[in-house]
Amino acid sequence: MTTNYSAITIHRLNLSGDCFDHVPVSSPGLWNMQYGESILKHNLVRLHLQLVIMIMLPRALHSILKLLRLPRITSEMLAGYLIGPNVLHALFPAAAALLFPPMPNQAVAGLAKVGFIMFSFLNGVRMDPGLVKISGKKALALGFAIFLYPFTMVHTCIIKFPPESRFSDKDRMQFLKNTDIYLALITTSQFVGVNTVLMELKLINTQLGHLALASTLISELLRFAYSIFLGYLQIVFTIESSLGTKMLMSSLFFALMVFVVAKAMVLWLIKRTPTGKPMSEVHINFVIGVLMTMSATSDAFGVYYLFGPFLFGLVVPAGSPLATGVIAKLETVTNGLLLPLLLTFCSSTFDVFGFWKNFDMMMDFKVSAYGYGVKLVLTFLTCMACRMGARDASAFSLIVNAKGVLEVASFLSFSGLAAGEPDANSAMLLIFVLTTALQPLIRLLYDPSKQYVGYKRKSIQFASHNTELPVLTCAHKQEDAVAALKMLEFWNPTRTSPLSIYGLCLQDLVGSFTPQIINHQLGQKAADTSSSATSSAASSLTSSSASQPIVDVFNYFKTEFRRVGVVVSAFTAISPQKLMYEDICWMSFDKAVCIVIVPFHKKWNPKGQLVHESGELRNLNIAVLDRAPCSVGILIDRRTSHGVGSMFVSSPTYRVVVLFFGGADDRESMAIGGRMAGSPRVQLTVEEEGDGFGGRGPGSERSWDEVFDDESLRILRHEMADASNVRFLEEEVRDGSDTAQVVRSLKEDFDLMIVGRRHEEEMEALSGLSEWAELPELGPVGDILAGGDMGTAASVLVVQQQIMKVSHNLILNS
């Protein structure tokens, strides 16, 4: 019996080895491979190499193409073309057959679709339907038009085949079906695609960006409701009414389950999170598990597999701790790995030779390209009818018709995209051309900085003494607001010359697509996340809860100094930190302020030790200096390092020194000092630094700047001739070394030091200082005062007078 069992066992092994060509998924290793055998025949090894190439090649291409200011999606799609039949298979067919065999790559396609599921969920989380309620009439009209044009084109498109056409009736029906799908996808405006383009172009905070977001969101919601209703009607009238009823009932049941059960679960998770604390890892991982379940459930109900994740994302309140935690967990793997993989994989199917060979059969390409052109023209005409300028209308038309990852992923869902198929060729080519060409055209047409060009003087020096003085104060934290308001307390507000302060709380946009500015004078207040999440409109305001302590500081100042001519208005700007300068510049322009005060990017503790430094805030200040339509002051605060409680301590005197070297910025600094000197509590010192020759050395001719400097000093001396709280000093210095020594000697004598930012390069009194400056945006003197070795409690205000002609040399460290 033993022998028989052994024979049976051997016989079974022989069947397994000889009758089936089984290749292990993993390899035995390079040293165990047989002669002439390729390690790439093992699926796992080949998949790893494919992933490495599909991830690294787009990044390498983007490092080059970004110099041409081309979007990242161009690099990812171009990488797909290189590894497809155009280059790799044509030049190295043997290597391509091993590394990218012609058989369908189900593993990569599966990963790409998982990325699309996560992408759809994140889009739902970031989307705020409450934006529709605050949209204006122009956004509503444009949104309805953007929805109506594709709808009309798809349902009125008629294709006639000539009698001698070689297409069979079956081929004609297939072409017509594909053409409708592709025409709808190419002509439909996608909210997510528009948001991506605006973020890449840094236009999301502009007025055109806000209008584009609101319009496409309205169009998206209309299309979403219409697609469900149309799907029901098609089944009822073309297949079976009972089946259509079942489909509609299952869709409604699934939507009810999401908006009732899933939403209750989300609110319960948010309520269990303490205020100000992040969501726990257990809860976030649980939500991710529910996300995958939603996709499988919606597919099982006969609904599109992305329907469930998108609806589930909508019930997560934008800006809530849950939204922030889920985005932080999924965004890197989705945007950094799975979406680039999807774009590269889909683009690898494009065959340029097959495209030209079958161009006569490219019915979907021709109709889609024609429809896209018609949509552009109609959108432009609608914008002109809404009284937009020609350049703005052109830029808007291109923005709302931008294409990207959603269109590519939709083609992956609706077709197999096998290499060489005409459908795949036409789809990929059209999307590649549109994504590559649109962004440079938009940059050429629309420059948001031009709207801030100053044609009217907006500065302290040229402000009237008998009118209201508007000032914009920006704050990232409560301490920033306290520091600015403590200084503005001594700007001598009176009944005849009141001080109008616009307080702008700056908050980073996290967990939402939609930037917004909240006006707290209109009753818009921060609410608790758990209570506000019950409606989408209210949930859009939950992001402002972090700014409420800053708003409280502005309200306290408003209450305390209302009787002495101070008017305070508080706002909150929620936007990406790299683009906050647009909110600051627009608020400055809209409120016609004379100066905007921004906090310095470094913070110190009471011992003078550096405790916080932000490179992003530094870049923000540089951008404001470059674009602001008024004067700018960077406040380096060292007094409130003792805490927010210093706000309630009022000083009987406030010692201020203006360091005057000459130039427009120093004249602006002196104008601020002159206004403060009107308060009897202020002790003002104007210290004129020079070398005895007007700061330029012997033999130099007097410039207009020097004439203006002398006149400004003469006027201030005349106005303050009888003032006992103002004194003028002159200090003779030979070079930058003497200046640095004099400036450092003043650090213990004053509470506030005001200096100009820009000076003439050939000025002897500042020679050699610029070469050693660590913070050139502060100027040579401001850089000295901002140094960590100053060891003083004095605050510093670095002033730049309004630039009448906008410079476009803005360089942000990204």
Side-chain angles (χ1 to χ4, degrees), residues 360-382:
D360 292 339
M361 301 174 61
M362 298 296 179
M363 190 68 65
D364 48 3
F365 174 81
K366 297 174 184 178
V367 174
S368 299
Y370 175 77
Y372 185 84
V374 172
K375 170 80 178 301
L376 276 179
V377 174
L378 291 176
T379 307
F380 173 79
L381 294 177
T382 306

PDB file of all heavy atoms in Angstrom, residues 360-382:
ATOM      1  N   ASP A 360      -9.799  58.558 -40.610  1.00  0.00           N
ATOM      2  CA  ASP A 360     -11.139  58.650 -41.210  1.00  0.00           C
ATOM      3  C   ASP A 360     -12.208  58.039 -40.320  1.00  0.00           C
ATOM      4  O   ASP A 360     -13.388  58.413 -40.408  1.00  0.00           O
ATOM      5  CB  ASP A 360     -11.144  57.951 -42.570  1.00  0.00           C
ATOM      6  CG  ASP A 360     -10.296  58.705 -43.589  1.00  0.00           C
ATOM      7  OD1 ASP A 360     -10.064  59.907 -43.370  1.00  0.00           O
ATOM      8  OD2 ASP A 360      -9.863  58.080 -44.570  1.00  0.00           O
ATOM      9  N   MET A 361     -11.795  57.097 -39.481  1.00  0.00           N
ATOM     10  CA  MET A 361     -12.767  56.437 -38.595  1.00  0.00           C
ATOM     11  C   MET A 361     -12.910  57.141 -37.253  1.00  0.00           C
ATOM     12  O   MET A 361     -13.697  56.714 -36.416  1.00  0.00           O
ATOM     13  CB  MET A 361     -12.326  54.987 -38.356  1.00  0.00           C
ATOM     14  CG  MET A 361     -12.197  54.156 -39.624  1.00  0.00           C
ATOM     15  SD  MET A 361     -11.522  52.526 -39.292  1.00  0.00           S
ATOM     16  CE  MET A 361     -12.765  51.857 -38.204  1.00  0.00           C
ATOM     17  N   MET A 362     -12.150  58.227 -37.031  1.00  0.00           N
ATOM     18  CA  MET A 362     -12.155  58.899 -35.733  1.00  0.00           C
ATOM     19  C   MET A 362     -13.361  59.826 -35.608  1.00  0.00           C
ATOM     20  O   MET A 362     -13.236  61.043 -35.502  1.00  0.00           O
ATOM     21  CB  MET A 362     -10.863  59.688 -35.547  1.00  0.00           C
ATOM     22  CG  MET A 362      -9.613  58.836 -35.539  1.00  0.00           C
ATOM     23  SD  MET A 362      -9.595  57.708 -34.138  1.00  0.00           S
ATOM     24  CE  MET A 362      -8.052  56.865 -34.427  1.00  0.00           C
ATOM     25  N   MET A 363     -14.543  59.254 -35.670  1.00  0.00           N
ATOM     26  CA  MET A 363     -15.752  60.052 -35.569  1.00  0.00           C
ATOM     27  C   MET A 363     -15.864  60.745 -34.218  1.00  0.00           C
ATOM     28  O   MET A 363     -16.247  61.918 -34.132  1.00  0.00           O
ATOM     29  CB  MET A 363     -16.976  59.162 -35.814  1.00  0.00           C
ATOM     30  CG  MET A 363     -18.277  59.923 -35.968  1.00  0.00           C
ATOM     31  SD  MET A 363     -18.305  60.898 -37.470  1.00  0.00           S
ATOM     32  CE  MET A 363     -18.269  59.575 -38.686  1.00  0.00           C
ATOM     33  N   ASP A 364     -15.506  60.017 -33.148  1.00  0.00           N
ATOM     34  CA  ASP A 364     -15.607  60.600 -31.811  1.00  0.00           C
ATOM     35  C   ASP A 364     -14.638  61.755 -31.637  1.00  0.00           C
ATOM     36  O   ASP A 364     -14.948  62.763 -31.013  1.00  0.00           O
ATOM     37  CB  ASP A 364     -15.372  59.525 -30.746  1.00  0.00           C
ATOM     38  CG  ASP A 364     -14.132  58.705 -31.047  1.00  0.00           C
ATOM     39  OD1 ASP A 364     -13.440  59.008 -32.040  1.00  0.00           O
ATOM     40  OD2 ASP A 364     -13.862  57.747 -30.299  1.00  0.00           O
ATOM     41  N   PHE A 365     -13.443  61.638 -32.208  1.00  0.00           N
ATOM     42  CA  PHE A 365     -12.449  62.705 -32.091  1.00  0.00           C
ATOM     43  C   PHE A 365     -12.926  63.967 -32.800  1.00  0.00           C
ATOM     44  O   PHE A 365     -12.851  65.076 -32.253  1.00  0.00           O
ATOM     45  CB  PHE A 365     -11.115  62.231 -32.669  1.00  0.00           C
ATOM     46  CG  PHE A 365     -10.065  63.305 -32.724  1.00  0.00           C
ATOM     47  CD1 PHE A 365      -9.336  63.634 -31.597  1.00  0.00           C
ATOM     48  CD2 PHE A 365      -9.812  63.999 -33.903  1.00  0.00           C
ATOM     49  CE1 PHE A 365      -8.368  64.631 -31.651  1.00  0.00           C
ATOM     50  CE2 PHE A 365      -8.858  64.992 -33.963  1.00  0.00           C
ATOM     51  CZ  PHE A 365      -8.129  65.306 -32.832  1.00  0.00           C
ATOM     52  N   LYS A 366     -13.404  63.815 -34.003  1.00  0.00           N
ATOM     53  CA  LYS A 366     -13.819  64.979 -34.793  1.00  0.00           C
ATOM     54  C   LYS A 366     -14.997  65.684 -34.153  1.00  0.00           C
ATOM     55  O   LYS A 366     -15.013  66.910 -34.015  1.00  0.00           O
ATOM     56  CB  LYS A 366     -14.151  64.536 -36.210  1.00  0.00           C
ATOM     57  CG  LYS A 366     -12.975  63.952 -36.973  1.00  0.00           C
ATOM     58  CD  LYS A 366     -13.403  63.401 -38.316  1.00  0.00           C
ATOM     59  CE  LYS A 366     -12.247  62.739 -39.039  1.00  0.00           C
ATOM     60  NZ  LYS A 366     -12.653  62.144 -40.337  1.00  0.00           N
ATOM     61  N   VAL A 367     -15.984  64.905 -33.753  1.00  0.00           N
ATOM     62  CA  VAL A 367     -17.176  65.519 -33.158  1.00  0.00           C
ATOM     63  C   VAL A 367     -16.844  66.164 -31.808  1.00  0.00           C
ATOM     64  O   VAL A 367     -17.316  67.260 -31.492  1.00  0.00           O
ATOM     65  CB  VAL A 367     -18.293  64.470 -33.005  1.00  0.00           C
ATOM     66  CG1 VAL A 367     -19.491  65.058 -32.264  1.00  0.00           C
ATOM     67  CG2 VAL A 367     -18.719  63.954 -34.368  1.00  0.00           C
ATOM     68  N   SER A 368     -16.011  65.502 -30.996  1.00  0.00           N
ATOM     69  CA  SER A 368     -15.652  66.053 -29.686  1.00  0.00           C
ATOM     70  C   SER A 368     -14.843  67.331 -29.826  1.00  0.00           C
ATOM     71  O   SER A 368     -15.062  68.305 -29.095  1.00  0.00           O
ATOM     72  CB  SER A 368     -14.867  65.013 -28.882  1.00  0.00           C
ATOM     73  OG  SER A 368     -15.635  63.854 -28.667  1.00  0.00           O
ATOM     74  N   ALA A 369     -13.886  67.349 -30.757  1.00  0.00           N
ATOM     75  CA  ALA A 369     -13.094  68.557 -30.971  1.00  0.00           C
ATOM     76  C   ALA A 369     -13.972  69.707 -31.457  1.00  0.00           C
ATOM     77  O   ALA A 369     -13.834  70.857 -31.006  1.00  0.00           O
ATOM     78  CB  ALA A 369     -11.971  68.274 -31.969  1.00  0.00           C
ATOM     79  N   TYR A 370     -14.885  69.405 -32.371  1.00  0.00           N
ATOM     80  CA  TYR A 370     -15.809  70.435 -32.860  1.00  0.00           C
ATOM     81  C   TYR A 370     -16.709  70.936 -31.725  1.00  0.00           C
ATOM     82  O   TYR A 370     -16.918  72.153 -31.563  1.00  0.00           O
ATOM     83  CB  TYR A 370     -16.648  69.872 -34.001  1.00  0.00           C
ATOM     84  CG  TYR A 370     -17.705  70.814 -34.507  1.00  0.00           C
ATOM     85  CD1 TYR A 370     -17.386  71.884 -35.329  1.00  0.00           C
ATOM     86  CD2 TYR A 370     -19.048  70.633 -34.153  1.00  0.00           C
ATOM     87  CE1 TYR A 370     -18.370  72.754 -35.792  1.00  0.00           C
ATOM     88  CE2 TYR A 370     -20.039  71.485 -34.608  1.00  0.00           C
ATOM     89  CZ  TYR A 370     -19.687  72.550 -35.422  1.00  0.00           C
ATOM     90  OH  TYR A 370     -20.663  73.404 -35.872  1.00  0.00           O
ATOM     91  N   GLY A 371     -17.234  70.013 -30.920  1.00  0.00           N
ATOM     92  CA  GLY A 371     -18.093  70.405 -29.813  1.00  0.00           C
ATOM     93  C   GLY A 371     -17.357  71.229 -28.776  1.00  0.00           C
ATOM     94  O   GLY A 371     -17.916  72.175 -28.204  1.00  0.00           O
ATOM     95  N   TYR A 372     -16.082  70.893 -28.536  1.00  0.00           N
ATOM     96  CA  TYR A 372     -15.294  71.660 -27.569  1.00  0.00           C
ATOM     97  C   TYR A 372     -15.109  73.098 -28.057  1.00  0.00           C
ATOM     98  O   TYR A 372     -15.218  74.049 -27.272  1.00  0.00           O
ATOM     99  CB  TYR A 372     -13.942  70.994 -27.362  1.00  0.00           C
ATOM    100  CG  TYR A 372     -13.104  71.643 -26.294  1.00  0.00           C
ATOM    101  CD1 TYR A 372     -13.277  71.327 -24.949  1.00  0.00           C
ATOM    102  CD2 TYR A 372     -12.135  72.580 -26.622  1.00  0.00           C
ATOM    103  CE1 TYR A 372     -12.515  71.932 -23.971  1.00  0.00           C
ATOM    104  CE2 TYR A 372     -11.364  73.193 -25.648  1.00  0.00           C
ATOM    105  CZ  TYR A 372     -11.556  72.865 -24.326  1.00  0.00           C
ATOM    106  OH  TYR A 372     -10.790  73.473 -23.358  1.00  0.00           O
ATOM    107  N   GLY A 373     -14.825  73.247 -29.347  1.00  0.00           N
ATOM    108  CA  GLY A 373     -14.679  74.596 -29.888  1.00  0.00           C
ATOM    109  C   GLY A 373     -15.961  75.395 -29.782  1.00  0.00           C
ATOM    110  O   GLY A 373     -15.946  76.587 -29.447  1.00  0.00           O
ATOM    111  N   VAL A 374     -17.092  74.754 -30.079  1.00  0.00           N
ATOM    112  CA  VAL A 374     -18.386  75.441 -29.961  1.00  0.00           C
ATOM    113  C   VAL A 374     -18.646  75.848 -28.513  1.00  0.00           C
ATOM    114  O   VAL A 374     -19.118  76.953 -28.233  1.00  0.00           O
ATOM    115  CB  VAL A 374     -19.513  74.539 -30.493  1.00  0.00           C
ATOM    116  CG1 VAL A 374     -20.883  75.156 -30.205  1.00  0.00           C
ATOM    117  CG2 VAL A 374     -19.340  74.305 -31.993  1.00  0.00           C
ATOM    118  N   LYS A 375     -18.320  74.963 -27.572  1.00  0.00           N
ATOM    119  CA  LYS A 375     -18.525  75.272 -26.148  1.00  0.00           C
ATOM    120  C   LYS A 375     -17.673  76.475 -25.725  1.00  0.00           C
ATOM    121  O   LYS A 375     -18.136  77.350 -24.966  1.00  0.00           O
ATOM    122  CB  LYS A 375     -18.144  74.035 -25.325  1.00  0.00           C
ATOM    123  CG  LYS A 375     -18.075  74.267 -23.804  1.00  0.00           C
ATOM    124  CD  LYS A 375     -19.441  74.237 -23.171  1.00  0.00           C
ATOM    125  CE  LYS A 375     -19.345  74.417 -21.654  1.00  0.00           C
ATOM    126  NZ  LYS A 375     -18.531  73.402 -20.996  1.00  0.00           N
ATOM    127  N   LEU A 376     -16.432  76.552 -26.198  1.00  0.00           N
ATOM    128  CA  LEU A 376     -15.575  77.695 -25.874  1.00  0.00           C
ATOM    129  C   LEU A 376     -16.192  78.996 -26.382  1.00  0.00           C
ATOM    130  O   LEU A 376     -16.250  79.995 -25.651  1.00  0.00           O
ATOM    131  CB  LEU A 376     -14.188  77.505 -26.493  1.00  0.00           C
ATOM    132  CG  LEU A 376     -13.160  76.680 -25.726  1.00  0.00           C
ATOM    133  CD1 LEU A 376     -11.858  76.584 -26.523  1.00  0.00           C
ATOM    134  CD2 LEU A 376     -12.881  77.282 -24.356  1.00  0.00           C
ATOM    135  N   VAL A 377     -16.644  78.990 -27.618  1.00  0.00           N
ATOM    136  CA  VAL A 377     -17.211  80.202 -28.205  1.00  0.00           C
ATOM    137  C   VAL A 377     -18.486  80.617 -27.468  1.00  0.00           C
ATOM    138  O   VAL A 377     -18.682  81.799 -27.146  1.00  0.00           O
ATOM    139  CB  VAL A 377     -17.487  79.985 -29.701  1.00  0.00           C
ATOM    140  CG1 VAL A 377     -18.219  81.193 -30.284  1.00  0.00           C
ATOM    141  CG2 VAL A 377     -16.187  79.746 -30.459  1.00  0.00           C
ATOM    142  N   LEU A 378     -19.351  79.669 -27.172  1.00  0.00           N
ATOM    143  CA  LEU A 378     -20.599  79.989 -26.481  1.00  0.00           C
ATOM    144  C   LEU A 378     -20.335  80.516 -25.068  1.00  0.00           C
ATOM    145  O   LEU A 378     -21.006  81.455 -24.608  1.00  0.00           O
ATOM    146  CB  LEU A 378     -21.497  78.749 -26.428  1.00  0.00           C
ATOM    147  CG  LEU A 378     -22.082  78.284 -27.759  1.00  0.00           C
ATOM    148  CD1 LEU A 378     -22.859  76.984 -27.569  1.00  0.00           C
ATOM    149  CD2 LEU A 378     -22.971  79.351 -28.372  1.00  0.00           C
ATOM    150  N   THR A 379     -19.367  79.925 -24.373  1.00  0.00           N
ATOM    151  CA  THR A 379     -19.022  80.408 -23.024  1.00  0.00           C
ATOM    152  C   THR A 379     -18.480  81.827 -23.094  1.00  0.00           C
ATOM    153  O   THR A 379     -18.821  82.681 -22.267  1.00  0.00           O
ATOM    154  CB  THR A 379     -17.989  79.483 -22.374  1.00  0.00           C
ATOM    155  OG1 THR A 379     -18.454  78.138 -22.404  1.00  0.00           O
ATOM    156  CG2 THR A 379     -17.736  79.886 -20.936  1.00  0.00           C
ATOM    157  N   PHE A 380     -17.642  82.097 -24.082  1.00  0.00           N
ATOM    158  CA  PHE A 380     -17.097  83.452 -24.255  1.00  0.00           C
ATOM    159  C   PHE A 380     -18.209  84.452 -24.510  1.00  0.00           C
ATOM    160  O   PHE A 380     -18.238  85.546 -23.912  1.00  0.00           O
ATOM    161  CB  PHE A 380     -16.089  83.448 -25.403  1.00  0.00           C
ATOM    162  CG  PHE A 380     -15.582  84.812 -25.773  1.00  0.00           C
ATOM    163  CD1 PHE A 380     -14.599  85.428 -25.023  1.00  0.00           C
ATOM    164  CD2 PHE A 380     -16.118  85.496 -26.859  1.00  0.00           C
ATOM    165  CE1 PHE A 380     -14.132  86.697 -25.352  1.00  0.00           C
ATOM    166  CE2 PHE A 380     -15.660  86.760 -27.206  1.00  0.00           C
ATOM    167  CZ  PHE A 380     -14.664  87.358 -26.444  1.00  0.00           C
ATOM    168  N   LEU A 381     -19.148  84.126 -25.377  1.00  0.00           N
ATOM    169  CA  LEU A 381     -20.246  85.044 -25.678  1.00  0.00           C
ATOM    170  C   LEU A 381     -21.128  85.273 -24.459  1.00  0.00           C
ATOM    171  O   LEU A 381     -21.615  86.391 -24.230  1.00  0.00           O
ATOM    172  CB  LEU A 381     -21.077  84.488 -26.838  1.00  0.00           C
ATOM    173  CG  LEU A 381     -20.367  84.409 -28.204  1.00  0.00           C
ATOM    174  CD1 LEU A 381     -21.272  83.768 -29.239  1.00  0.00           C
ATOM    175  CD2 LEU A 381     -19.917  85.790 -28.661  1.00  0.00           C
ATOM    176  N   THR A 382     -21.326  84.225 -23.668  1.00  0.00           N
ATOM    177  CA  THR A 382     -22.119  84.385 -22.439  1.00  0.00           C
ATOM    178  C   THR A 382     -21.417  85.320 -21.467  1.00  0.00           C
ATOM    179  O   THR A 382     -22.068  86.158 -20.820  1.00  0.00           O
ATOM    180  CB  THR A 382     -22.357  83.017 -21.786  1.00  0.00           C
ATOM    181  OG1 THR A 382     -22.941  82.120 -22.721  1.00  0.00           O
ATOM    182  CG2 THR A 382     -23.270  83.145 -20.584  1.00  0.00           C
TER     183      THR A 382
END
